[in-house]
Amino acid sequence: MQLTKKSLPERLNHIYDAIVVGGGAGGLSAGIYLQRFRLSSLIIDKGKARSFWMQELHNYLGLPPDTPGRVLLQQGKQHYTSLNGDMLNGYVEEVVDEGDRFAVRVKVGRKNSIYPVFRSKYLIAASGIIDNLPPLEDMQNVFDYAGYNLHVCMVCDGYEMTDKQCGFIAGSEASIEEMVFNLSWFTPYITVFTHGLFAVSDSMRSQLHNHGYRLVETPIKKFLGENHQMTGVELVDGSIIPLETGLISMGSRYHNTYLQGFNLDVKGSNLITDKMGRTSHPRIFAIGDLKVGLNQVVVAAGDGALAATQIWRDIRRESGSRRWEENLAVSV
Amino acid sequence: MQLTKKSLPERLNHIYDAIVVGGGAGGLSAGIYLQRFRLSSLIIDKGKARSFWMQELHNYLGLPPDTPGRVLLQQGKQHYTSLNGDMLNGYVEEVVDEGDRFAVRVKVGRKNSIYPVFRSKYLIAASGIIDNLPPLEDMQNVFDYAGYNLHVCMVCDGYEMTDKQCGFIAGSEASIEEMVFNLSWFTPYITVFTHGLFAVSDSMRSQLHNHGYRLVETPIKKFLGENHQMTGVELVDGSIIPLETGLISMGSRYHNTYLQGFNLDVKGSNLITDKMGRTSHPRIFAIGDLKVGLNQVVVAAGDGALAATQIWRDIRRESGSRRWEENLAVSV
């Protein structure tokens, strides 16, 4: 059920088999599997998963390619609650390992917040990442186009950029190095924007020049366009650069502060897991964009199935087999 | 496009980036990704993927839990062909490694068969497995219930068996050992059927007895029921055992004969792959039920995304970056 401030106190003495932090594709898939394994689970969702922003999910098997990310999430939430999974809108502030269980402290409600503590045997970290966006004075101007034709994921949306005039908005020289020459697989018509945030080395200038890519270091004033279709940018000096699409590559924020006390094994900013999603802590699993791997909705959904199945195996082994009592009585 | 006997000759001189053997969940997801990476791909499907038999796919994120497996496959096929992917109904008989490409020989058509050979740089083995079923005189009797309430996958359908009278149809003592005590997580009301195919050891008899599970060694004559709902079995001696559900665990047949010449690394019958699905042959990937891992539709779909992405990375690296020619001309 959807827990509310009013109904949640009745769950405070319950020990969940698993608490899932994050109600995106990974978390919902994990929740569906957990409930179908007859385990008890709680998904805590702060809202606005990364896929929530996708206006069209073009590559998720089983859904028409114009399905908005939020439709996938709605369907998943309905599926999960139909299996009697508990769902709570809230922000996980802290997780404490109490030995055989976790205490998960949640902030619920923006106004008159309360801070309930829920307990579980296992934790699934599915809280994902969110992309950094160009820091413009009017952020609504960015939100108007992000997720439409101003993209944040080349693997997801490169196809839509094919041979289009593309603005590549970089957060660092490393992001140019890592992405631009791959982006050219989809389109060579690339204008790199630094937004005045970092200096570009001479060798990178020369590489860009040799590929015919343009480099714009003057900060962006605003995106131009209408009906969520970005058609270019206006720079702070008043000049205008027409574009047909854009790719933002300014790094991401990881929703993982609640894990900081655990010193889990990482590679860069991503958690290292085994094939079933188990981190270096035996009762903490990580799925989706938090872990090392490809950040894709369908991969996160698969990750959820794997982590939930491993948790079920762990718990099942510990609990032993059930007997058919009536037959035992007959035998005696 | 959907290739036919008539149209396929025009593809015989084409070198695909990847040929995908199998049009199930894994193969279709891979195909969608490959086409969106602007690669050229051909899916060769013999029909009737394992998920085709599932009457209700209860655990696939994004689809209502009563969605038939065939609906997922139809949607995926439509998605793939809308991206101009090639699809062919046929059976892959042989794959030969010609050094930098594969020659894939396909049998097309049951009558007046033809045997075209297609070529590709990479191969994705997504041809899966199919479950062995109890060998009854009238197999239609088995097909009438399999995929309805006579299941083949405990992880998929254990939930539907909860606390029901369950017939467990085993293929060997090992399958009893491996499955029955786990099945009791969902229901303890278990009757094990050997169908007279193998002997049961004294220690297993005693284990089953101690759990109160029944053991039936007389062969099954037929399943009873109506409207695809199995209600019990009739044995060859005429006795009737009422049941509410069933789980068949008689092993599987692997659709992998075309890989036999490659001596790929395996664990048991499953191919060993890295995290992106690459086998011990650098240009052969394996996804879904053929590889080591959990046999689940959503996992196979994620596998497809991973394998396609890695193939794209390989090909992209080899091909280098595209230049913006007009700008280069200006610079000169």
Side-chain angles (χ1 to χ4, degrees):
Chain A
M1 64 183 280
Q2 178 72 44
L3 299 184
T4 61
K5 274 187 187 176
K6 198 167 169 184
S7 65
L8 70 82
E10 63 185 87
R11 295 295 202 273
L12 297 179
N13 292 320
H14 176 69
I15 296 172
Y16 287 100
D17 290 307
I19 286 178
V20 182
V21 186
L28 288 168
S29 182
I32 289 165
Y33 270 78
L34 288 166
Q35 290 300 124
R36 288 183 54 82
F37 286 133
R38 304 176 75 220
L39 298 172
S40 99
S41 71
L42 167 64
I43 296 178
I44 303 170
D45 186 30
K46 64 154 188 40
K48 299 185 182 167
R50 196 181 186 211
S51 48
F52 176 85
W53 297 98
M54 295 178 197
Q55 296 307 320
E56 295 184 345
L57 200 56
H58 294 291
N59 55 13
Y60 190 86
L61 179 73
L63 296 178
D66 58 354
T67 307
R70 61 182 180 279
V71 169
L72 173 86
L73 298 173
Q74 279 160 2
Q75 173 59 44
K77 188 172 168 181
Q78 194 179 323
H79 192 160
Y80 173 68
T81 50
S82 78
L83 293 162
N84 298 316
D86 281 349
M87 190 109 199
L88 175 67
N89 298 330
Y91 178 78
V92 172
E93 293 212 319
E94 191 185 33
V95 176
V96 175
D97 189 354
E98 298 182 334
D100 58 353
R101 67 194 61 171
F102 296 107
V104 178
R105 186 167 179 269
V106 187
K107 177 179 176 178
V108 179
R110 289 197 179 181
K111 293 179 184 173
N112 304 317
S113 307
I114 60 171
Y115 296 86
V117 176
F118 297 90
R119 285 184 165 75
S120 68
K121 298 176 190 165
Y122 287 81
L123 189 79
I124 299 182
S127 37
I129 63 174
I130 196 73
D131 306 274
N132 295 329
L133 299 175
L136 302 192
E137 204 167 315
D138 174 16
M139 284 306 292
Q140 186 55 45
N141 175 252
V142 185
F143 300 145
D144 278 347
Y145 304 107
Y148 292 86
N149 68 337
L150 181 56
H151 302 286
V152 294
C153 171
M154 183 171 59
V155 167
C156 311
D157 301 308
Y159 184 79
E160 275 67 39
M161 299 188 232
T162 299
D163 289 334
K164 287 191 175 157
Q165 287 279 351
C166 181
F168 179 82
I169 303 166
S172 64
E173 178 157 324
S175 80
I176 303 178
E177 179 77 49
E178 189 188 329
M179 299 282 285
V180 163
F181 305 100
N182 300 337
L183 174 59
S184 75
W185 176 268
F186 296 103
T187 179
Y189 311 122
I190 299 172
T191 304
V192 175
F193 295 85
T194 67
H195 194 48
L197 291 174
F198 60 95
V200 178
S201 70
D202 287 344
S203 77
M204 177 56 76
R205 278 175 203 282
S206 134
Q207 275 190 72
L208 293 175
H209 178 79
N210 291 340
H211 282 78
Y213 308 155
R214 296 187 294 190
L215 175 64
V216 175
E217 297 179 85
T218 308
I220 294 167
K221 185 178 173 194
K222 63 177 180 184
F223 291 97
L224 305 173
E226 55 183 357
N227 292 328
H228 301 296
Q229 291 302 303
M230 189 266 293
T231 56
V233 295
E234 181 182 333
L235 304 179
V236 292
D237 64 10
S239 56
I240 285 173
I241 297 176
L243 297 169
E244 294 170 299
T245 187
L247 178 65
I248 298 170
S249 178
M250 306 185 74
S252 325
R253 198 158 58 84
Y254 284 69
H255 296 304
N256 60 4
T257 50
Y258 61 95
L259 293 174
Q260 274 169 7
F262 289 98
N263 293 313
L264 301 173
D265 291 349
V266 293
K267 180 177 175 184
S269 300
N270 293 94
L271 292 163
I272 294 172
T273 65
D274 68 13
K275 283 194 173 181
M276 301 302 280
R278 200 193 300 264
T279 68
S280 53
H281 186 301
R283 291 184 295 113
I284 300 180
F285 288 70
I287 64 179
D289 293 357
L290 280 187
K291 72 178 223 311
V292 176
L294 189 68
N295 294 353
Q296 289 290 293
V297 172
V298 74
V299 173
D303 285 350
L306 295 171
T309 302
Q310 189 56 48
I311 289 171
W312 171 56
R313 288 173 178 166
D314 281 15
I315 291 176
R316 189 187 74 198
R317 275 169 199 155
E318 192 136 317
S319 77
S321 306
R322 287 161 77 198
R323 291 174 159 76
W324 188 344
E325 300 296 341
E326 296 86 332
N327 279 354
L328 287 172
V330 170
S331 320
V332 168
Chain B
M1 63 182 280
Q2 178 73 44
L3 299 184
T4 60
K5 274 187 188 175
K6 196 168 170 183
S7 65
L8 70 83
E10 63 185 89
R11 295 295 202 274
L12 296 180
N13 292 320
H14 177 69
I15 296 172
Y16 288 100
D17 290 307
I19 287 178
V20 182
V21 186
L28 288 169
S29 182
I32 290 165
Y33 270 77
L34 288 166
Q35 290 301 124
R36 288 182 54 81
F37 287 132
R38 305 176 74 222
L39 299 172
S40 99
S41 71
L42 166 65
I43 297 179
I44 303 170
D45 186 31
K46 62 153 191 38
K48 298 184 181 168
R50 197 182 186 209
S51 47
F52 177 86
W53 297 98
M54 295 178 196
Q55 297 306 319
E56 295 182 346
L57 201 56
H58 293 291
N59 54 15
Y60 190 86
L61 180 73
L63 296 178
D66 57 355
T67 306
R70 62 182 178 278
V71 169
L72 174 86
L73 297 174
Q74 279 159 2
Q75 172 60 47
K77 188 172 166 179
Q78 194 178 324
H79 192 159
Y80 173 69
T81 50
S82 78
L83 293 161
N84 298 317
D86 281 348
M87 190 109 198
L88 175 67
N89 298 331
Y91 178 78
V92 172
E93 292 211 321
E94 191 186 31
V95 175
V96 175
D97 188 353
E98 297 182 334
D100 56 354
R101 63 193 63 170
F102 295 107
V104 179
R105 184 167 180 270
V106 186
K107 176 180 176 178
V108 179
R110 289 198 178 181
K111 294 178 183 171
N112 305 318
S113 306
I114 60 171
Y115 297 86
V117 176
F118 297 90
R119 285 184 165 76
S120 68
K121 298 176 191 165
Y122 287 81
L123 189 79
I124 299 182
S127 37
I129 64 173
I130 197 72
D131 306 274
N132 295 328
L133 298 174
L136 303 191
E137 203 167 317
D138 175 16
M139 285 306 293
Q140 187 53 46
N141 176 252
V142 184
F143 301 143
D144 279 345
Y145 304 107
Y148 292 87
N149 69 336
L150 180 56
H151 302 287
V152 294
C153 170
M154 183 170 60
V155 167
C156 311
D157 300 308
Y159 184 79
E160 275 66 40
M161 300 187 230
T162 299
D163 289 335
K164 287 191 174 156
Q165 287 278 352
C166 181
F168 178 84
I169 304 166
S172 64
E173 178 156 323
S175 79
I176 304 178
E177 180 78 48
E178 190 188 328
M179 299 282 286
V180 163
F181 305 100
N182 300 337
L183 175 59
S184 75
W185 176 269
F186 296 104
T187 178
Y189 311 123
I190 298 171
T191 304
V192 175
F193 295 85
T194 67
H195 193 50
L197 292 175
F198 60 95
V200 177
S201 70
D202 287 345
S203 78
M204 178 55 75
R205 277 174 203 283
S206 134
Q207 275 190 71
L208 293 174
H209 179 80
N210 291 340
H211 282 78
Y213 307 154
R214 296 187 294 190
L215 176 63
V216 175
E217 298 178 84
T218 308
I220 295 166
K221 184 178 174 195
K222 64 177 180 183
F223 291 96
L224 305 173
E226 55 183 355
N227 292 327
H228 302 294
Q229 291 302 302
M230 190 266 293
T231 56
V233 296
E234 182 182 333
L235 304 179
V236 292
D237 65 9
S239 55
I240 285 171
I241 298 176
L243 298 169
E244 294 169 298
T245 187
L247 179 64
I248 298 170
S249 179
M250 306 185 75
S252 324
R253 197 157 60 85
Y254 283 68
H255 296 305
N256 61 3
T257 48
Y258 61 95
L259 293 174
Q260 274 169 7
F262 289 98
N263 293 313
L264 301 172
D265 291 350
V266 293
K267 182 177 173 183
S269 302
N270 293 94
L271 292 163
I272 294 173
T273 66
D274 68 12
K275 282 193 173 182
M276 301 303 280
R278 200 193 301 264
T279 67
S280 51
H281 186 301
R283 292 182 296 113
I284 301 180
F285 288 69
I287 63 178
D289 293 358
L290 280 187
K291 73 177 221 311
V292 176
L294 190 68
N295 294 354
Q296 290 289 292
V297 172
V298 75
V299 174
D303 286 350
L306 295 170
T309 302
Q310 189 56 50
I311 289 171
W312 171 56
R313 287 174 178 165
D314 282 16
I315 291 177
R316 191 187 72 198
R317 275 170 200 157
E318 193 136 318
S319 77
S321 306
R322 287 162 76 198
R323 290 173 161 78
W324 188 346
E325 300 297 342
E326 295 86 332
N327 279 354
L328 285 173
V330 169
S331 317
V332 169

